[in-house]
Amino acid sequence: MNCVLWGFIVLGAFLGLLSEGASTSRPRVIKVGAIFGLNTMYGHTASLAFKAAEEDVNSDPSFLGGSKLRIMISDAQRSGFLSIMGALQFMETDVVAIIGLQTSIMAHVLSHLANELTVPMLSFTALDPTLSPLQFPFFVQTAPNDLFLMRAIAEMITYYGWSDVVVLYNDDDNSRNGVTALGDELEERRCKISYKAVLPLDVVITSPAEIIEELTKIRGMESRIIVVNTFPNTGKMIFEEAKKLGMMEKGYVWIATTWLSSLVDSDFPLDLKSLNGVLTLRLHTPDPRKKRDFAARWKKNKTIGLNVYGLYAYDTVWIIAQAVKSFLEAGGNLTFSHDAKLSNLKGEALNLSALSRFDEGPQLLDYIMRTKMSGLTGPVQFHRDRSMVQPSYDIINVVDGGFRQIGYWSNHSGLSVVPPESFYNKPSNRSSSNQHLNSVTWPGGTSVTPRGWVFPNNGKLLRIGVPNRASFKDFVSRVNGSSSHKVQGYCIDVFEAAVKLLSYPVPHEFIFFGDGLQNPNYNDLVNKVATGVDFDAAVGDIAIVTKRTRIVDYTQPYIESGLVVVAPVTALNENPWAFLRPFTPPMWAVTASFFMVVGAVIWILEHRTNDEFRGPPRRQIITILWFTFSTMFFSHRENTTSTLGRMVLLIWLFVVLIITSSYTASLTSMLTVQQLNSPIKGVDTLISSSGRIGFQVGSFAENYMIDELNIARSRLVALGSPQEYATALQNGTVAAIVDERPYVDLFLSDYCKFAIRGQEFTRCGWGFAFPRDSPLAVDMSTAILGLSETGELQRIHDRWLSKSNCSSPHGSQSGDSEQLNVHSFWGMFLVCGIACFVALFIHFVKVVRNFIKHKPEEEEKDIPSPESSRLKKLQTFLAYIDEKEEESKRRFKRKRSSLSMNANSSISSRQI
């Protein structure tokens, strides 16, 4: 009995020890470090939010199982050194996580420390897109990183139709890497950053001298779209100096990143009227009751306005608290140990061995990444790549000293005028037609969207390259052969007329490209525009071809073009037998044959009933021919007596009507338009022939024929002028010439023995070339369309190119008219043939039936041999067919009467 009692006593003591051990494994205080510059807007706001979150977590003792959450704040005072010292101190005090790392510079540095000591580091301000979880696995961004911010700005820029932007930023990791992300996003949308203005670090910039210097440069540049990706102190100074330099006026576009909205939300002193028209962004947070209650509580007790980063600071504390709660409830222990690597380091003053390694850091990090809660900022959750779910921004317009929200951006739905939450349950739709923003008041008070660029105000003229042609100088040439840069020609007049329609001046100068002795290579000219070294644009007879469009932007074509074939021709209309040309010989043969066939069918059907088809053979043949051919004039249709004959005749009349109509139309065309003959019918016959082919020096036609038509280079002959064209064609040096239509039209206006053969086998046009993404190309295209609509483009064309010294414009003909062949009418001939066959078959059956019914009885008493009987029957049948039907019927009636009388006589004699 005593043994049992002692056993229970020992067991109770053991269980008590286990219980005591379990209770002591959970710490009384869970420490979290925070590193911020408390003298900054972000640091001040964050410290207040941390304390509020700490109070709320600790207000429920059961939340952490009796443990208290303690936020320890280290004031970094905007110093990198103090930030490092603060982190090291926290590592000595067994913190489970560190919040802060206010800048990306410190995040990059201290994340290496976090990786070694496995302490999670969380930040809602160091949002550098390059802080990869692969490189820094223990660093967590608890707000959407700046990649999404830059994507939103890029989509705003493309939404308004801009292409070039200028960026102002501080020379630190956060700003620099954000600008790099913006450049990548713009490049995906065929836009670019044309200039990057780098400013000193926000903490060291004290004088506006560097800002004024950069703004002065920007004022003389082309782009008027300016993105300010800086810290608040630098941003305020930029807008103050821009106002003084007159850069807040009409024509400018300013886009500030989230620093400006944070300044305003924090109630920092700021002259918003001087920022009228500026666009800025703010991290979007829904507006649930929980957020409104916190904002009201903040407003009562706090000395600074609540900005969005205060909300993210509050939620970051709760992310850690929720993760610790889940970790402890799963039976986890918070333990720390010394890092062996640090213990082995020797140093007289550094006590590195005091730094603690958080043994359960990886497990706590895993719980952090599995966070799923509803915070002040909305749903708080991480993707597998550690980015926040549903990143979105408010887009705000500074108007009349205040803010006006013009829309939203979200990574799910793009730009919209309704909150992005309404799209999350729908499929993503990023089409341009689904992107919307409300109206904007731009700098200068205008509501008209700025063009986004002007000509640089740097005293430089736009350098325009023009081809120094040796031939076809009606398109572009030097004035009076002078050595100056005065240029004239069709292309020049079109360009100058388009420039006059622009709403801004375009100071420019023409620079000749080529020596004028032979036509220059146009690919080289376009390449010089693409590189921008020698020319800013190119004006002239420049064909728009695929290879060139890859490196430059063209305007709207101002004249249609395309490659055509030119060859020597002879006129055909003087031939006395030209009236036979509408039909091919087989067509004539088939038509004549059907006339004969139809005539024979009509004769067969009408011979026994129609007197016009009876008589001597000669007369009947003449009747057949006359009757058949006269159907073309719709005569004799009423002279047919049989139903089958009328049917065949009506079908034949329909066929004749179609054939004669086609013949008349084709003959009229041939006699009206002069017909030209040449062995070259077009590009196909040119390719299949072995003759040599001429092309214009410098034209893309050479490469096109080699690369696309697979014509041997040995067959090609380079020609430099219209005179060389004519000489080569006349003496047979080339069988034909391939060139662009405008050149050919000008050539044929003076040389009348040649003509275009076939159709254009390429379709393109001529345009003015500008560097890629040049806004001037777009405006010039609009101006060219304006010239076309007013008729001015045609008047310029007529003034330079509408001339001809040929009395007969051979050059306007494309070749022989197409002859009509049997294949076009075989269906009608088939129908007519079937009708004839059916009519003959019915007629034959009818005749045979009547013959059997009415055949005359044999009068001979003798029985003939079988051969003579068959011959006699055939002769009798043919005689029956040739006999007129009325005579057959009369003979049959007489025979019946005779037989009846004989029968009556026989009966009478029997009675007697």
Side-chain angles (χ1 to χ4, degrees):
M1 187 71 178
N2 291 333
C3 292
V4 174
L5 181 61
W6 278 106
F8 276 110
I9 294 173
V10 171
L11 178 62
F14 179 72
L15 292 175
L17 289 173
L18 288 178
S19 177
E20 183 181 357
S23 63
T24 57
S25 65
R26 178 168 295 188
R28 290 186 303 104
V29 176
I30 297 172
K31 301 175 184 177
V32 175
I35 304 173
F36 268 92
L38 299 182
N39 59 339
T40 65
M41 174 188 67
Y42 299 112
H44 189 182
T45 304
S47 65
L48 297 175
F50 291 154
K51 291 301 180 183
E54 180 186 58
E55 292 173 2
D56 292 345
V57 170
N58 293 330
S59 64
D60 181 6
S62 64
F63 183 80
L64 293 177
S67 298
K68 292 288 185 178
L69 181 69
R70 180 183 175 189
I71 308 295
M72 302 184 299
I73 301 177
S74 172
D75 185 5
Q77 301 180 23
R78 304 185 72 181
S79 167
F81 174 75
L82 292 180
S83 297
I84 296 174
M85 291 298 101
L88 292 175
Q89 288 174 351
F90 286 144
M91 297 302 183
E92 295 177 353
T93 57
D94 297 343
V95 295
V96 298
I98 295 177
I99 309 173
L101 309 182
Q102 187 169 339
T103 65
S104 294
I105 297 176
M106 287 297 98
H108 280 92
V109 173
L110 295 180
S111 289
H112 292 285
L113 181 62
N115 291 348
E116 181 62 31
L117 300 179
T118 63
V119 178
M121 286 190 172
L122 293 78
S123 178
F124 50 88
T125 54
L127 303 177
D128 183 348
T130 65
L131 287 166
S132 167
L134 296 177
Q135 184 180 7
F136 306 112
F138 282 85
F139 179 78
V140 180
Q141 292 172 328
T142 58
N145 74 43
D146 285 349
L147 172 64
F148 301 105
L149 172 63
M150 298 307 165
R151 185 172 297 166
I153 294 175
E155 292 195 13
M156 290 169 59
I157 289 169
T158 55
Y159 173 79
Y160 289 112
W162 304 317
S163 59
D164 284 11
V165 302
V166 172
V167 181
L168 285 154
Y169 65 97
N170 293 114
D171 191 17
D172 76 306
D173 287 359
N174 198 75
S175 297
R176 187 187 311 109
N177 293 331
V179 170
T180 301
L182 176 61
D184 294 339
E185 293 292 331
L186 289 173
E187 188 175 355
E188 290 181 7
R189 295 160 177 79
R190 289 199 63 183
C191 304
K192 66 179 181 180
I193 299 176
S194 57
Y195 181 71
K196 298 178 181 180
V198 185
L199 300 173
L201 292 174
D202 189 71
V203 295
V204 300
I205 188 168
T206 57
S207 168
E210 294 93 340
I211 294 175
I212 294 173
E213 180 181 354
E214 291 296 339
L215 289 178
T216 303
K217 290 180 184 178
I218 293 171
R219 188 174 58 175
M221 294 178 181
E222 182 179 281
S223 177
R224 285 293 182 263
I225 314 300
I226 307 171
V227 177
V228 182
N229 184 40
T230 63
F231 289 92
N233 182 46
T234 305
K236 287 194 299 180
M237 294 176 66
I238 287 173
F239 282 112
E240 290 171 0
E241 299 307 322
K243 180 72 173 178
K244 297 175 183 177
L245 294 172
M247 297 177 67
M248 301 299 296
E249 303 300 326
K250 182 179 179 181
Y252 284 90
V253 174
W254 291 86
I255 301 176
T257 51
T258 55
W259 64 266
L260 179 57
S261 60
S262 298
L263 269 181
V264 177
D265 290 339
S266 301
D267 298 331
F268 268 63
L270 195 64
D271 183 10
L272 287 179
K273 290 185 178 180
S274 66
L275 301 177
N276 195 55
V278 174
L279 296 179
T280 185
L281 296 93
R282 175 174 54 206
L283 281 164
H284 173 72
T285 56
D287 194 29
R289 182 179 181 84
K290 185 177 181 181
K291 174 184 171 183
R292 293 196 297 271
D293 291 345
F294 183 80
R297 171 183 162 193
W298 182 283
K299 190 174 183 180
K300 290 180 181 178
N301 303 315
K302 304 303 184 271
T303 58
I304 186 174
L306 176 62
N307 61 49
V308 69
Y309 293 100
L311 303 178
Y312 277 100
Y314 183 91
D315 281 353
T316 300
V317 174
W318 273 98
I319 290 173
I320 297 172
Q322 290 276 15
V324 171
K325 178 179 182 292
S326 300
F327 174 76
L328 293 177
E329 289 178 348
N333 295 322
L334 302 178
T335 62
F336 298 85
S337 62
H338 294 292
D339 191 320
K341 295 180 182 179
L342 299 177
S343 300
N344 296 329
L345 294 176
K346 304 295 183 180
E348 294 182 0
L350 294 177
N351 187 19
L352 297 178
S353 61
L355 302 180
S356 300
R357 178 185 180 89
F358 182 20
D359 298 328
E360 285 75 29
Q363 291 91 326
L364 181 62
L365 177 65
D366 183 59
Y367 279 104
I368 289 174
M369 301 317 303
R370 281 191 271 169
T371 299
K372 189 174 183 180
M373 69 179 195
S374 178
L376 298 182
T377 59
V380 178
Q381 191 176 350
F382 296 92
H383 288 297
R384 295 187 65 180
D385 64 355
R386 297 197 180 181
S387 63
M388 299 292 292
V389 298
Q390 303 174 355
S392 55
Y393 293 86
D394 301 331
I395 302 175
I396 300 167
N397 185 201
V398 181
V399 182
D400 298 329
F403 271 7
R404 181 168 66 88
Q405 189 157 331
I406 63 169
Y408 306 86
W409 178 91
S410 77
N411 198 46
H412 178 77
S413 55
L415 301 171
S416 66
V417 294
V418 296
E421 296 84 57
S422 59
F423 296 104
Y424 290 143
N425 294 327
K426 301 176 183 178
S428 178
N429 185 355
R430 304 297 292 273
S431 63
S432 58
S433 60
N434 201 49
Q435 305 299 293
H436 304 285
L437 289 175
N438 288 321
S439 61
V440 177
T441 299
W442 303 100
T446 180
S447 60
V448 178
T449 303
R451 186 173 65 245
W453 69 278
V454 295
F455 272 97
N457 186 20
N458 52 16
K460 294 183 180 179
L461 301 176
L462 191 71
R463 302 166 302 167
I464 299 177
V466 294
N468 194 5
R469 296 192 56 85
S471 60
F472 294 108
K473 294 189 175 183
D474 296 81
F475 296 107
V476 58
S477 64
R478 194 187 301 271
V479 173
N480 298 325
S482 65
S483 59
S484 66
H485 289 172
K486 293 183 179 180
V487 189
Q488 65 180 1
Y490 166 71
C491 303
I492 303 302
D493 282 4
V494 172
F495 176 79
E496 295 289 7
V499 167
K500 290 179 181 178
L501 293 183
L502 300 179
S503 59
Y504 49 87
V506 183
H508 59 273
E509 62 175 338
F510 294 113
I511 303 173
F512 282 105
F513 176 70
D515 56 13
L517 302 178
Q518 65 177 5
N519 296 332
N521 187 299
Y522 282 64
N523 288 334
D524 293 342
L525 174 59
V526 171
N527 285 332
K528 289 184 177 295
V529 174
T531 59
V533 175
D534 297 311
F535 303 125
D536 302 314
V539 170
D541 46 338
I542 306 170
I544 303 173
V545 296
T546 304
K547 180 179 179 181
R548 298 170 186 169
T549 57
R550 296 191 181 106
I551 58 175
V552 297
D553 281 350
Y554 278 96
T555 62
Q556 173 82 12
Y558 59 87
I559 186 173
E560 292 185 358
S561 182
L563 294 179
V564 293
V565 177
V566 180
V569 293
T570 57
L572 293 178
N573 286 2
E574 291 79 5
N575 190 335
W577 300 101
F579 69 92
L580 296 176
R581 294 188 63 248
F583 286 172
T584 61
M587 181 67 181
W588 280 115
V590 172
T591 304
S593 299
F594 260 83
F595 270 107
M596 300 304 297
V597 169
V598 172
V601 171
I602 296 296
W603 179 84
I604 293 173
L605 298 177
E606 298 291 328
H607 176 67
R608 301 188 71 245
T609 60
N610 195 332
D611 290 334
E612 293 188 12
F613 290 86
R614 301 187 64 81
R618 181 179 179 183
R619 176 188 171 187
Q620 293 188 50
I621 292 173
I622 293 174
T623 300
I624 290 172
L625 294 175
W626 170 251
F627 190 90
T628 305
F629 284 98
S630 65
T631 56
M632 291 187 297
F633 308 102
F634 303 97
S635 61
H636 294 298
R637 184 178 61 184
E638 67 280 0
N639 293 343
T640 56
T641 59
S642 66
T643 302
L644 293 175
R646 289 192 181 96
M647 179 192 73
V648 172
L649 189 59
L650 285 174
I651 294 176
W652 178 240
L653 284 174
F654 175 74
V655 174
V656 170
L657 176 63
I658 298 299
I659 293 176
T660 53
S661 299
S662 301
Y663 172 85
T664 303
S666 181
L667 181 62
T668 301
S669 174
M670 289 180 176
L671 296 179
T672 303
V673 180
Q674 186 172 19
Q675 298 302 303
L676 309 173
N677 184 40
S678 171
I680 304 297
K681 303 299 182 183
V683 66
D684 293 332
T685 56
L686 187 63
I687 294 173
S688 60
S689 69
S690 59
R692 306 188 75 186
I693 305 169
F695 68 92
Q696 185 181 170
V697 174
S699 172
F700 76 94
E702 177 185 13
N703 291 333
Y704 183 87
M705 287 188 285
I706 294 173
D707 299 336
E708 304 297 333
L709 304 183
N710 296 319
I711 296 176
R713 187 183 297 272
S714 58
R715 291 181 58 192
L716 304 182
V717 178
L719 303 171
S721 66
Q723 294 78 9
E724 292 184 21
Y725 281 18
T727 302
L729 289 170
Q730 287 172 346
N731 61 23
T733 302
V734 296
I737 290 173
V738 172
D739 205 351
E740 296 176 68
R741 185 64 184 255
Y743 300 124
V744 170
D745 287 342
L746 200 59
F747 167 70
L748 295 178
S749 66
D750 291 324
Y751 297 91
C752 310
K753 295 181 180 181
F754 314 103
I756 296 172
R757 309 301 296 164
Q759 303 296 325
E760 292 183 17
F761 55 92
T762 66
R763 291 287 183 182
C764 61
W766 290 355
F768 306 133
F770 292 89
R772 289 295 296 270
D773 305 319
S774 170
L776 186 56
V778 178
D779 288 355
M780 286 294 289
S781 293
T782 304
I784 290 171
L785 289 175
L787 292 176
S788 178
E789 291 171 357
T790 60
E792 180 63 21
L793 193 61
Q794 185 62 43
R795 286 189 287 272
I796 297 174
H797 179 278
D798 295 342
R799 185 163 62 247
W800 283 97
L801 306 179
S802 293
K803 61 180 182 178
S804 177
N805 296 322
C806 298
S807 58
S808 178
H810 291 180
S812 63
Q813 306 306 314
S814 61
D816 298 325
S817 297
E818 184 177 358
Q819 291 181 299
L820 302 175
N821 53 52
V822 179
H823 299 290
S824 303
F825 301 94
W826 72 270
M828 291 189 298
F829 284 129
L830 178 63
V831 171
C832 186
I834 292 174
C836 291
F837 175 78
V838 171
L840 287 176
F841 179 77
I842 295 173
H843 177 73
F844 180 76
V845 171
K846 181 180 177 182
V847 169
V848 170
R849 188 191 64 182
N850 290 338
F851 174 74
I852 294 174
K853 182 178 179 181
H854 302 149
K855 67 179 180 179
E857 296 181 357
E858 295 288 345
E859 298 179 356
E860 293 148 338
K861 304 293 185 177
D862 299 335
I863 299 176
S865 63
E867 291 80 4
S868 61
S869 175
R870 284 194 294 270
L871 181 60
K872 186 168 183 62
K873 286 181 179 180
L874 179 61
Q875 292 175 346
T876 304
F877 179 70
L878 294 176
Y880 177 78
I881 292 177
D882 186 59
E883 186 179 33
K884 190 174 182 181
E885 187 174 353
E886 293 179 359
E887 293 179 0
S888 298
K889 291 179 179 180
R890 286 197 296 270
R891 183 168 54 78
F892 177 68
K893 289 179 181 179
R894 287 198 303 270
K895 187 170 183 180
R896 288 183 59 185
S897 299
S898 175
L899 291 175
S900 177
M901 291 177 61
N902 291 338
N904 291 335
S905 298
S906 176
I907 294 172
S908 299
S909 57
R910 289 194 191 100
Q911 291 176 349
I912 294 174

